[in-house]
Amino acid sequence: MGEVVKSYHPALAAAVAVLLTAGCTTSSTSPPVAAPTAVSTETSAPPPASPSPTGPDARTVLLAALEKSRNTTYRFATSGDVPDAKKISGSGSYDPKARRISVKVRMTGGGQKAVATQRIVVGTDLYSRQKDGETWVHLNLKKIKKDSLYAFDMTDPTGLSRFVESVGRVTGTGTNTYSGTLDIDNGRINEGFLPVGTPAIWVMSSGGAGATFTATTNAAGWVTSIKVSLKDRKGTLHMTTILSGHGKASGIKKPSDFGEAMDFYYD
């Protein structure tokens, strides 16, 4: 049984893969897309659950904080590893109720040229460019096919909802701190949700636990950090996401200067 990890973010021009013993992860990126490579890996045993004799168990408490956080506006900053010695970093803001997101993503390493993208989505309008100073390109998401490389799923663009769905065993490790596993033993592809914030990895599992995580909340009950680890033959992939600004105005608005996308984007 195994697990394959690939980079996923459609705005990045790279595809990488890793084979983990607990399942498999897959990913896709925006053109040009490099051919994925596979590597066998192993995962560590999941920690035991940690019920509390005086109140809700750790998993219940953490899931409540995750649900609270994912349903409000928040800012995020992400950094981490993806397979083939690549690094990914990103930052932005997300307003799930207004269906708005602003995100910058950059992938480096692996002996390839750095790839970057910037995206703003306001409702069904997507504005994209590679770097500061360039003219934004506008695409109508209602006209883009679901299987297109230019598609952008606004149902869970940061991957936080899919992270919540994948949380397995949870242990309380201190005041407002938790550790646990991600359950990806579901026989299907978990569309990109790692690292949380700027999804770059798909996970398809055929057995076992594929990832471990730690999480931190604050006194107000917001999740403030999520750290995920995936092991492979070459080492461990570490991904960190910092969440902030919960419930505050996102400030996301469409660019004032943009051009329309060519017709082939909608083919």
Side-chain angles (χ1 to χ4, degrees):
M1 311 299 282
E3 196 173 83
V4 172
V5 179
K6 289 184 182 180
S7 68
Y8 151 76
H9 205 292
L12 301 178
V16 288
V18 173
L19 178 64
L20 303 179
T21 57
C24 48
T25 66
T26 64
S27 73
S28 69
T29 58
S30 65
V33 178
T37 56
V39 183
S40 67
T41 67
E42 297 181 354
T43 57
S44 58
S50 177
S52 168
T54 58
D57 64 25
R59 187 175 189 274
T60 299
V61 174
L62 178 59
L63 285 177
L66 286 165
E67 286 289 338
K68 178 180 178 180
S69 298
R70 79 183 183 97
N71 287 316
T72 192
T73 302
Y74 57 84
R75 300 183 183 276
F76 55 89
T78 301
S79 63
D81 309 311
V82 291
D84 293 345
K86 291 183 172 65
K87 301 283 187 180
I88 189 169
S89 61
S91 62
S93 300
Y94 177 46
D95 185 339
K97 294 181 180 179
R99 294 180 57 81
R100 297 187 177 203
I101 188 170
S102 175
V103 58
K104 293 183 178 181
V105 185
R106 179 178 175 85
M107 185 178 287
T108 59
Q112 298 181 2
K113 184 179 178 181
V115 180
T117 186
Q118 300 179 14
R119 286 187 168 188
I120 294 174
V121 178
V122 177
T124 58
D125 293 306
L126 167 66
Y127 305 89
S128 179
R129 66 183 183 183
Q130 290 187 324
K131 59 184 179 180
D132 294 341
E134 290 186 344
T135 299
W136 293 91
V137 176
H138 169 250
L139 294 92
N140 183 345
L141 290 177
K142 292 186 293 185
K143 295 172 58 178
I144 296 178
K145 298 178 181 179
K146 291 183 178 180
D147 60 351
S148 170
L149 290 173
Y150 308 103
F152 195 88
D153 185 3
M154 279 297 288
T155 59
D156 183 28
T158 68
L160 184 55
S161 293
R162 280 164 284 186
F163 178 87
V164 173
E165 294 171 358
S166 298
V167 170
R169 297 183 181 181
V170 178
T171 300
T173 56
T175 304
N176 299 330
T177 59
Y178 307 85
S179 66
T181 62
L182 297 178
D183 285 345
I184 46 183
D185 182 18
N186 50 29
R188 65 177 177 80
I189 293 177
N190 274 295
E191 295 180 354
F193 72 101
L194 295 175
V196 175
T198 56
I201 296 176
W202 278 357
V203 180
M204 183 173 71
S205 173
S206 57
T212 60
F213 74 90
T214 62
T216 303
T217 61
N218 62 15
W222 302 112
V223 175
T224 54
S225 73
I226 298 171
K227 298 181 180 180
V228 176
S229 296
L230 292 170
K231 288 188 176 180
D232 65 17
R233 285 182 178 176
K234 297 180 180 179
T236 303
L237 306 178
H238 298 287
M239 292 160 277
T240 298
T241 301
I242 303 300
L243 302 176
S244 62
H246 302 85
K248 297 181 179 180
S250 68
I252 301 170
K253 58 184 180 180
K254 71 177 185 180
S256 58
D257 182 21
F258 59 88
E260 290 298 325
M262 302 289 286
D263 290 342
F264 71 82
Y265 283 89
Y266 303 108
D267 291 339

